[in-house]
Structures are given as structure tokens and as C-alpha cells.
Amino acid sequence: MSVSQATARLIAPPGLNRRLRAILASTGAVLLSLVVGGLLIVIAGGEPISAYRALLDGALGTPYGMGQVLVLAIPLIIIGLGLALAFRGRVYNIGAEGQLFMGALASGVVAILLPVGFGPLLIAAAVVAGVLAGAGWGAIVGVLRARWGVNEVITSLLLNFVAILIFTYIVRRPLRAPGSPDLQGRAIQPDAALPALPDLAVHIGLFLALALVPLAAYLMSRTPFGFRVRMMGFNAEAGRTAGVRSGRMVVGLMLISGGLAGLAGTLQILGVAERLDPGISQGYGFTAIVVALLGRLNAVGVLLAALFIALLQSGGQAMSVIEGVPYAIVLAIPGVFVVFLLIADRLARD
Amino acid sequence: MDWSEIFGPDALVVLLSSSVAFAMPTALAAVGETVAERAGVLNLGLEGMLLSGALASFLVAYYVGSVALGTLAGVAIGVGLGALMAFLSVTLRTEQIINGIAIVLVAQGITAFTFEKLFGGGDQPTIAGIPDVDVPLLHSIPGVGPVLFEQNVLFYISVAVALGVCLLLARTRFGLSVSAVGESPAAAEAMAVSVARTRWLALLVGGGMAGLGGAVLVLGQLNVFEEDVSGGRGWIAIALVIFGRWNPLFVLGGAFLFGFTDALQIRVQAVSGGIASTVPTEIFGALPYAVTLIVMVAATVWAGRDAQPSALGVPFRKGVSA
Amino acid sequence: MRLTKWKAVPICLAAAALAAGAASCGDDDDGGGGGGQAEGKVKTAIVLPCATSDPWCKQGYDAAKALQKQGAIDLQVTTNAPQDTAGVTRVLAQYAQGGTQLILAHSTWQDAAFDVAKQFPDVDIASYSFELRDNVAILEEPIYQAAFLAGMLAGGLTESNTIAGSAGQDVPLCHAELEAFEDGAKRTNKQVKMIDTYIGDWNDSAKGKQATQAQIDQGADVVLACGGGPATGMAQAIKEANISGFGYVGDMSSQAPNNMVGSILYNLEPYFKAAVDDVKNDTFRPAKRYEFGLADGGVSLQLNDGYAVKEIPADVMDQMKQVQEQIKSGKFKVPYEAGA
């Protein structure tokens, strides 16, 4: 028998109830990753127990800390939902980072320049601009695949770099913050800033992100569209049988996932940075891929995975400060956790 | 602006010679990845393998003083990480994409940490470079000669390895197994080709080549190591595999095209006078990506068929039909 | 394949249990730093955006360590800080929460600094911002002043009348440095021509090397750089081509011992010391600009004894020394050209 089958039998003897095996496997994974993470911490000169306590304390110990976790989770949830949908249809959108930045750029420009005094209207205009920009940027990829069969992985990947360069240029010249010695863009009009929740230090975009979860779940499992996406993802034959116009579907999925990434970028500008800031994202579009996969491409899974990853990252940053563990090691720990969870998942399924 | 300063025969030779050298690490990683993906495994850990190979080779070269041993160390680390990827993706059959990303994260963390621990707070450590060696006779060929045959030893080794792997894929039994396993693993298994073993070997080759790429980057070109020295080459390499339609020779060509446009944009900036130029520098920066994209689209439209290995990214389970 | 609740259960239970445990211990780290008056050492943290082997981060690290050695501060260090604003905010907030009195945010992290300054009004922050807040001070970076002096030497050293500079991006800091280099060179050599290249990446020393090599191919024989990647790449390139160059921000002569004419030094000790003293004496607020230029020892051009490419003409050296005195005494102000 294979290695994995043998290990599976060790952890969860086949006689047990299937659900129980799943629980045991997941628990084993969490414990094992804690151990490996602890090892990394020891190598880095820290002390595992206090480090983990610092991680959780930093992330959840104060309202401000919890707000920080949520702020980190919001873009992951929104982009993750879009990617989960796209990946279901085997449309591998690797360009979410670029779509995020295009959305951020468009919404930022509107929020800076549009002479509308009424806050909610200005915000709405900025959001529309951001979503359209992200969707449009994604549509390029979709059309290239639908029309000419160009592989979307590479087109979306390369367009990331182009998008970031465009954003950088706008921040550097036309819309640079006056007086700034480095790359900082102009601030948005105060009316365009998203209000924050009192005490928690997170913007109201949180509600939007949370609202999208049941919406996405409904779309994915209870609508004909979601059904067709799944069929298309299964294989080409099944898609044809279900009457899927695959070209249209590809473009549609890129529009949706691109638009959602653009929305995430918009919220980063209006709610977090409140200016055109190149630092609004560091690979969030790629982290969202992990979130979508970890969440098994379904909406609730994406929500949980996003919160989980945000917790690890935010807490990890706090841990690096308290424990004196270099942040570089902290970066590695979410990766380790995720791998072990997937292994456990696989073992439980065997 | 004087275009002959860029495209005139002498200038062009200089440009080509430097871009070919700089493109080598990416090219090595890309060809290695082609082997892995042809076998059906999507190895996203390439960036981490390249980076780890770079650090390992730098450390050995720095402390031991031997470039040869440093290169071997780089390859060894790459092979080791390839084995890890194989264990996770082929033996345990977990999500290949996540395994790859996790390897990159862990590699970035550990290399940054190790380098900081060893050299933090001090001056930037450097190693002596290796000299260029002219290949007798060949380097006198007008045009091609100075470009390809006046490089350093690591360059020649890289070319040999890259071409060797291309041959491996095209002409050997192993190469045939790789294609079979990536296209139709169930059929391959039925013909007594071990899918698991082939994929393991493919990943070892892929990882080793990425590690070699890291060694070439540090020992053959930069003579320093710094955090994240790989600079995204691993990701570009993955894109280049698609660009080259999983044909190692086209992949190699794509790597050099990308490297050429990258070197070109820097040279154009130098010739055109920099600050005085009204063209935003970002346009120069975007040039390599835009060119690669356009060529990719043109090539796909022209060639038509989809070249992706059918079983790419799908874990294989014995006894279950795909 | 759904994430069934049976798999989610152990994860959630584990997280909940640990969170409950953490919440009960959360009281230890109550927010609010030590505030203004402090006897003895100032509790300080320095946050660096790169590794300490990077010239920019090394300068900050060395200065902070020097203060620590003098006994002025209790120091905590973070290297390789996250690249996104939210991540940096997290790190700064963690220090503020832990009772740090002064945070030295060694990069252009204005938004993060403001966010944390508002949330934790007891902490004092110094950063490379362009706006002041009551508890956020501005650190200036007048390296262009020393670049002018380097340019003067370059004008005398160049035989091809072509000099060059490479930078990460065309931001005012680097623009001003390269412009000052050109202005200084024109002072000693009217015919000099300057090439500028922006490689688009602060950390890519391979691109930096390529850029310098391209400049060398265009005839440049004296170069400088702005940014860690460009500078490190430049050092390797000048070593191989045996031309002259200037180090960036720290003493880079060890990277090209025979080819570095000198280095443009950015000494952060006076900056940090001023901030620390202000915190100690409760004079930090309202926060101010800290600027220590050539005249105050914050910036200088340090010559390298090992430089061996050619002899620096004596008259050029005298001119440079003269202008140096003029800058120090305030008689001459180096023009600051930040670009459009």
C-alpha cells in the first residue's frame, strides 16, 4: 500500500466513523504544524510557547489587534471568493494582484479628482470605477483565452507587472503627494474615506466582504450559472452537455474575479490607505489563491481560510516583535500550516 | 536618440552577450520546470529552489573558497527541495499549487534568516568573480562568437546542461516516459511505466536545475548574495514554460527573448539620456512583459492547438481512471 | 469537495481555546507607552525595511546600536519589515502596545506611522514622512549635499566627460542626488555629460549591474547610485570594468576597494540622538523636522584611501574642499532639485 494509505491507517484506523477520522486528521495536522512551527521558532532563537502566545495575543488580545486581523482578511475574502468561482470553472486567474491595483487606481483617481461633495455618492462612484477597472483588466485575459485559446495563467501573470507599473507611474508623476520624498500618491478627498467601526479600527468594507460570502455561496451552489461553472470545470465534455457556452463563461468568470479583485483594491484605497499608496497590497492577490484552495473553492471555506491566514500573518507580525524572531521566519509558518492541513485533508479522504 | 548605439553591430554584440548571460539562471529554471510540467507536476516552488541554491552556493564559495563546490552545493539543495516537492505532491498527493507556494515561503524565510544571522550588521560580503574564458576558434566566429563563446565557465556548463536536458526529453526513454506520464498517466501505468517514479525523477531534475540557476546567478554574475536575490526569476520561468508551449527549446528561446528585452530597456535608458527623456521609466520597465505577452498571443493564434500536458496539476492515483 | 463542518470543528475549537487563553493573558500588554518623562534609558525600537547588509538599513542599524552602546536607549530591532502598509502598521502598533517610547521607522512609512500615532497617543515616532503630526517627527535625508561634492571630484576624474547615475525609481530623493552629482561635476568640468538610469527596482542588484554596464558602454567612467540594489550592482560593475564610483549611504569601499573614490555617508547618529534626547527631555512634541546636513555631520563624503584607478587632480580636490567649507559655514547652499 502507498505511504499515504499507511499513514492514514495509523492516524485514523478504518474501523472508525468517517467523520471521526476527519476530525482526528485535522487535529493531527494542527498539532504537527504547531510542532514544526515551533521548531522554526527555536531555530530562529525564540521560545515556542511564548511565541505562540505572542501570536495569538498580538492578533486577538486587543480590539485594535482584532481590527487589524479583519483589515487583513477583507481583501483575502473578497478576492478569494472570486478566485474560488473562477477556479471551479478551471479558469486560473493568477492576475488578481494586477486587477487589485487597477481597481485601486481607478477608484483612487475618482476619489481624488471627482468634484462631488456628497460622501456616499463619491464613494459609490469610486467603487463602481474600481470594480469596472478590475473587471476590465481581467476581461483582457478572458477574451484572449476565449477568442484565441491563449493560456490565461501566463497572460494574467504578466499583466500583473504591467498593472503595477502603471500604478507606480501615476503615483510617481501626475498624482504624487506634494512634498513626498518617495512614492506616495495624493490623498483622497475626506468625503470619500470609508467610515471605521468604533473601537475595532476596521472600515465598514468588512460588512461588504461578509455579505458577499452568502451571496457567493448561493451563486455557486444554487443557481444555474453556478451549476454550469462546475460542469465546465469538471471537463469539457460535461460542459458541452450542460449547454455551456465556454467562451462566454471564461470571459464572465474573468469579469467577476477581476471585478472582485478591483473591489478589494478599492476598499484598500478608500478604507485603509485613503491615498494612492503602492503599499496597499503585498501579494494579496497571490495569497488569495492559497485562501481559495485552502477553502476548497467554496464560499464558507474561503471565509474561514481568509480569517485563518489573516490571523497567522497579523499575529505573526506581532510575534516577530515580541519574541524577537525575525519576520522572515514568521512568513514561513503560514505556509507550513497550510501544507499540513492539506495533508491531513488528503489522509482523511483516503 | 542614436539607435545605432544600441543596434549597431558592435553595440548589439555587447547587448546580446550580456543579456544571454543574465538570462541564464531563468533559462535553467525554466527548462527544469518544463521537465516537471511535462511529467504532469506543476512545481510552483521554483523561486524558492532558485533562491536556496543561490544561498547555498554563495555560502560554500564564501567559506570554502571553491566555486566548483559552491555550484554543486547549489544543485544539491535544489535537488533536495525537488525531493520535498515530490514527496508532498506525488507521494502524498496534496494540492501541488499550495505545496509549491509553501516551499517558496519557507525558502524565503530560511534564506533571509540564515543570511542575516551570518552576516547581519556587517559589511556586504562578496566573493571573487570568475574570469571569462574564450573558447578557442569558436569565439572568432563573427557575430555569434563573441556573444556565446566569450563567457565564463558557469555559462558554458549551463548551456551544456540546458541542451542536455532538451535532448533528454526528446530522445531518451526517460523523456518518453515523462511525456506519457504527463499526457495520460493511467495509460502509462498500464504500460508498466511507474508514474510516481517518473514524476519524482522529473522533480529532482527540475529542482536541481533551479538550484544550478541560483548558483550561476550568484557565482557567475553577481558575486554577492542578498535577500531575495532571485528577484522573481522563478515565477518568470514558470510563465516561460507556458510561453514555450512546453517545448524546452522554445522555452529556452523565450527565456532569452525576455532577458534580451530586459537588457534592452536598460540600455535604451542609458543611450537616451535618462532624466532628459520624457518617456516615463515605467514604460521601459513594462517592455519585457509586454513583448513576451504579444509574442505569446501571436504564437498561440498562429499555432492554434493547445499544448498543455493533459494531466498537469492533477495528482495521480493508481487504480483509478483519470 | 466541501469543507465539512467536521473538519472545521477541530480547527475552530483549537483556535477558540487558545484565544480564550490569550485573552485572559491580554492584560499584561496593556497599551500606552511610557510617555514623555523617562529616567535613564529611552525604550526605543527601530524598524528596518531590509536586512542589515543593505546599505540603507545598515546605517540605521549602526546608528541605533551606537546609541545603545552609549547607554542612552533600550533597543529592540526589527529587520525585513513587511512591505505592505497594513503589515508595517501591525509591527509599529505592536511596539507601541508593548510600551516602546520612541519608534524609529526607517523608511517612508507615513501612513502607518500616522495610524499608530493616532491609536497610541503616548508613543513618539520618527519616520521619513512629509507631513508632521504632534507625535510623528520627520527625518530628513539631505544626501544630495554630499553628492554635489562627489560630483565635483567626478568632473575632475572623468576622462571621457561622461558620468552616470542609477537609481531604483525617479523619486525626489534620488532625483535630487543625481542632479546634485551632475551640478557638482559641471562646476569643475563644463563639458561633462550625465546619464541617468532608473532600473525600476530597489533591490535588484543584477539589474543595477546591467544598468551600470550599459552606462559604461556609453562611455561613463565615474558613476554613483541611489538604492541598495543599484548600488551593490554598481560596485560589482565598476570592479569588473575598473572605473570609478561612489558608495551610497554607507561606506561601500570594501565592495570595490580600488574603484571606490569614496562614499556618500548618511550618518544617522545625530538624527537618532536628537530624537532620543527630545523624548527624554519631554521636548519631542510638537514633533519637528530633524535635519543634519553636511554642516552638522549628518551627511558627508568620505574618501577611500584604497582608490587606485587614477590620481585625483589636486586642484579639483582643493576646489571640493573649499566648497565643503562653504557649505559647512552656510555660505553656499547646494541646490535641491526634486524633479517634476
Side-chain angles (χ1 to χ4, degrees):
Chain A
M1 85 186 59
S2 70
V3 170
S4 52
Q5 281 172 326
T7 324
R9 272 175 205 236
L10 212 62
I11 297 179
L16 277 174
N17 183 298
R18 192 183 179 86
R19 285 168 177 172
L20 202 53
R21 274 169 60 203
I23 296 180
L24 275 174
S26 308
T27 316
V30 173
L31 287 175
L32 194 59
S33 13
L34 285 174
V35 168
V36 171
L39 253 161
L40 285 175
I41 293 171
V42 166
I43 294 176
E47 202 280 291
I49 307 282
S50 66
Y52 282 128
R53 195 186 291 143
L55 189 152
L56 282 162
D57 197 27
L60 302 171
T62 63
Y64 181 72
M66 285 195 271
Q68 290 292 326
V69 173
L70 292 172
V71 164
L72 221 53
I74 292 171
L76 294 180
I77 296 172
I78 297 177
I79 305 177
L81 288 174
L83 293 183
L85 185 65
F87 283 22
R88 276 182 175 224
R90 292 231 194 161
V91 174
Y92 293 108
N93 177 11
I94 311 294
E97 187 78 356
Q99 291 141 20
L100 185 158
F101 271 101
M102 288 312 264
L105 182 62
S107 61
V109 167
V110 166
I112 293 174
L113 296 176
L114 198 66
V116 168
F118 185 51
L121 191 58
L122 184 57
I123 293 178
V127 168
V128 167
V131 171
L132 285 179
W137 200 246
I140 299 175
V141 176
V143 166
L144 282 175
R145 175 170 148 177
R147 187 81 178 72
W148 290 297
V150 184
N151 188 300
E152 75 274 19
V153 171
I154 186 174
T155 49
S156 57
L157 185 68
L158 292 176
L159 282 177
N160 282 328
F161 295 101
V162 178
I164 293 177
L165 282 167
I166 296 176
F167 188 91
T168 305
Y169 170 69
I170 300 287
V171 164
R172 190 172 63 77
R173 288 278 267 274
L175 288 178
R176 193 208 294 161
S180 162
D182 199 348
L183 281 179
Q184 277 291 80
R186 264 207 253 164
I188 61 177
Q189 301 173 53
D191 287 326
L194 290 177
L197 287 173
D199 295 327
L200 260 190
V202 60
H203 55 91
I204 59 171
L206 175 66
F207 298 130
L208 183 57
L210 292 177
L212 282 173
V213 174
L215 224 73
Y218 184 78
L219 181 72
M220 284 193 230
S221 31
R222 295 215 191 285
T223 61
F225 174 73
F227 175 73
R228 272 181 267 147
V229 170
R230 251 180 300 147
M231 282 298 108
M232 194 173 96
F234 205 59
N235 62 48
E237 194 57 52
R240 264 193 293 279
T241 316
V244 176
R245 300 268 303 273
S246 69
R248 282 245 202 104
M249 190 62 80
V250 167
V251 177
L253 287 174
M254 283 308 300
L255 281 170
I256 295 176
S257 55
L260 283 172
L263 176 64
T266 304
L267 292 178
Q268 289 298 99
I269 294 286
L270 298 180
V272 179
E274 293 179 14
R275 74 165 71 248
L276 280 177
D277 174 15
I280 49 167
S281 167
Q282 185 59 30
Y284 293 176
F286 299 107
T287 311
I289 297 176
V290 176
V291 165
L293 291 173
L294 190 57
R296 287 356 219 141
L297 303 186
N298 73 61
V300 173
V302 164
L303 175 66
L304 290 175
L307 288 170
F308 182 59
I309 298 276
L311 184 91
L312 282 178
Q313 276 203 352
S314 185
Q317 282 149 5
M319 172 172 86
S320 79
V321 167
I322 296 176
E323 196 65 13
V325 169
Y327 181 63
I329 289 285
V330 161
L331 268 182
I333 294 185
V336 170
F337 268 54
V338 162
V339 168
F340 278 119
L341 280 177
L342 286 178
I343 295 177
D345 186 49
R346 173 73 59 184
L347 293 180
R349 277 198 262 155
D350 276 348
Chain B
M1 200 189 80
D2 191 2
W3 284 100
S4 74
E5 293 200 46
I6 301 177
F7 290 114
D10 293 329
L12 197 58
V13 163
V14 172
L15 178 60
L16 284 171
S17 145
S18 80
S19 56
V20 142
F22 272 103
M24 202 34 105
T26 314
L28 284 170
V31 172
E33 177 71 7
T34 309
V35 177
E37 289 198 17
R38 280 276 283 268
V41 182
L42 183 60
N43 174 20
L44 290 189
L46 218 54
E47 179 80 0
M49 296 172 186
L50 212 155
L51 186 60
S52 309
L55 179 66
S57 60
F58 180 79
L59 289 179
V60 169
Y62 186 80
Y63 287 118
V64 174
S66 160
V67 167
L69 284 179
T71 310
L72 282 175
V75 173
I77 286 277
V79 169
L81 286 176
L84 176 63
M85 183 69 186
F87 177 65
L88 291 172
S89 306
V90 179
T91 306
L92 292 182
R93 301 203 313 276
T94 52
E95 202 80 52
Q96 293 173 11
I97 294 181
I98 295 195
N99 295 336
I101 294 179
I103 287 181
V104 174
L105 290 177
V106 173
Q108 283 175 333
I110 295 195
T111 53
F113 169 72
T114 308
F115 187 69
E116 182 78 8
K117 203 60 174 210
L118 290 172
F119 299 106
D123 284 333
Q124 172 90 311
T126 59
I127 52 178
I130 50 180
D132 284 349
V133 175
D134 295 346
V135 175
L137 281 183
L138 287 173
H139 84 109
S140 312
I141 305 175
V144 175
V147 171
L148 290 179
F149 299 112
E150 285 176 7
Q151 306 273 6
N152 63 42
V153 164
L154 278 178
F155 178 85
Y156 300 134
I157 294 179
S158 308
V159 171
V161 169
L163 291 177
V165 171
C166 293
L167 270 174
L168 187 76
L169 272 182
R171 297 252 178 271
T172 64
R173 259 255 304 264
F174 174 69
L176 283 175
S177 306
V178 163
S179 302
V181 157
E183 216 32 65
S184 176
E189 197 73 30
M191 305 252 280
V193 173
S194 164
V195 171
R197 209 173 72 110
T198 310
R199 286 181 173 173
W200 257 88
L201 286 172
L203 278 171
L204 292 180
V205 168
M209 287 192 69
L212 177 63
V216 168
L217 177 66
V218 162
L219 301 179
Q221 288 167 23
L222 293 180
N223 305 324
V224 294
F225 179 87
E226 47 191 10
E227 190 198 319
D228 226 18
V229 71
S230 47
R233 283 172 177 76
W235 302 113
I236 299 289
I238 295 173
L240 287 170
V241 173
I242 304 176
F243 176 89
R245 307 175 68 72
W246 289 272
N247 177 327
L249 280 175
F250 290 164
V251 170
L252 211 52
F256 292 131
L257 173 69
F258 188 84
F260 175 74
T261 43
D262 212 8
L264 181 65
Q265 62 104 346
I266 289 184
R267 206 152 283 260
V268 169
Q269 280 194 58
V271 169
S272 70
I275 279 187
S277 160
T278 48
V279 176
T281 59
E282 284 84 6
I283 292 199
F284 293 114
L287 198 64
Y289 306 108
V291 166
T292 309
L293 198 57
I294 292 172
V295 173
M296 170 90 188
V297 172
T300 309
V301 172
W302 181 62
R305 267 182 328 121
D306 183 18
Q308 177 171 317
S310 304
L312 183 61
V314 181
F316 174 66
R317 202 168 165 176
K318 260 197 254 212
V320 176
S321 58
Chain C
M1 182 67 208
R2 304 188 52 127
L3 178 71
T4 64
K5 55 187 177 192
W6 302 111
K7 282 192 205 105
V9 161
I11 302 176
C12 292
L13 276 178
L18 290 166
S24 67
C25 303
D27 313 340
D28 302 343
D29 278 323
D30 59 275
Q37 261 143 358
E39 243 61 89
K41 304 186 184 178
V42 173
K43 204 158 175 247
T44 310
I46 182 164
V47 182
L48 303 168
C50 33
T52 52
S53 50
D54 175 284
W56 172 257
C57 287
K58 183 163 189 309
Q59 289 303 99
Y61 181 74
D62 284 348
K65 277 294 190 182
L67 286 178
Q68 184 189 39
K69 210 156 164 194
Q70 293 164 20
I73 59 175
D74 261 332
L75 180 67
Q76 278 179 285
V77 180
T78 292
T79 57
N80 302 116
Q83 299 292 321
D84 56 326
T85 310
V88 176
T89 309
R90 197 72 205 84
V91 172
L92 298 181
Q94 194 53 50
Y95 276 120
Q97 219 167 307
T100 304
Q101 292 169 270
L102 173 66
I103 304 178
L104 301 166
H106 195 53
S107 185
T108 50
W109 286 326
Q110 170 161 304
D111 289 333
F114 284 179
D115 200 20
V116 172
K118 194 161 92 170
Q119 196 67 33
F120 301 93
D122 285 340
V123 78
D124 290 323
I125 306 178
S127 181
Y128 290 85
S129 18
F130 51 98
E131 287 167 22
L132 288 166
R133 286 281 186 275
D134 198 42
N135 53 346
V136 181
I138 294 180
L139 296 169
E140 293 284 7
E141 200 182 333
I143 58 178
Y144 67 96
Q145 294 174 0
F148 187 87
L149 297 176
M152 292 185 73
L153 291 181
L157 281 170
T158 174
E159 283 167 24
S160 61
N161 286 339
T162 309
I163 59 176
S166 57
Q169 270 153 339
D170 188 4
V171 294
L173 173 76
C174 294
H175 198 103
E177 185 195 338
L178 266 45
E179 286 281 359
F181 189 65
E182 187 177 356
D183 290 341
K186 289 224 165 90
R187 189 80 177 249
T188 52
N189 180 346
K190 293 266 182 300
Q191 291 155 323
V192 87
K193 184 180 84 134
M194 172 96 171
I195 304 175
D196 300 291
T197 310
Y198 297 99
I199 66 172
D201 193 316
W202 293 106
N203 298 311
D204 194 341
S205 52
K207 275 229 177 89
K209 190 174 176 186
Q210 266 187 317
T212 306
Q213 282 172 339
Q215 292 165 341
I216 294 172
D217 290 335
Q218 287 300 116
D221 57 357
V222 189
V223 296
L224 90 167
C226 188
T232 310
M234 175 206 80
Q236 292 305 313
I238 64 176
K239 201 160 75 164
E240 276 174 32
N242 200 31
I243 62 152
S244 316
F246 288 91
Y248 165 74
V249 159
D251 185 358
M252 287 180 63
S253 23
S254 63
Q255 291 186 44
N258 298 336
N259 302 83
M260 286 286 184
V261 183
S263 298
I264 296 172
L265 291 186
Y266 179 42
N267 179 11
L268 279 156
E269 243 191 272
Y271 287 85
F272 291 171
K273 185 158 180 1
V276 167
D277 285 343
D278 276 336
V279 170
K280 196 160 171 170
N281 303 327
D282 210 12
T283 50
F284 193 86
R285 306 184 192 191
K288 54 185 88 66
R289 266 172 210 280
Y290 292 103
E291 177 162 3
F292 296 91
L294 204 71
D296 313 296
V299 167
S300 60
L301 175 65
Q302 182 182 78
L303 296 172
N304 172 27
D305 291 330
Y307 174 62
V309 174
K310 61 181 291 218
E311 191 76 32
I312 306 178
D315 61 327
V316 172
M317 183 65 99
D318 286 337
Q319 266 191 301
M320 190 274 282
K321 293 234 165 85
Q322 230 184 359
V323 173
Q324 192 171 2
E325 286 312 307
Q326 286 176 332
I327 298 176
K328 283 194 180 158
S329 65
K331 284 215 205 97
F332 176 66
K333 237 171 104 62
V334 178
Y336 176 75
E337 288 156 39

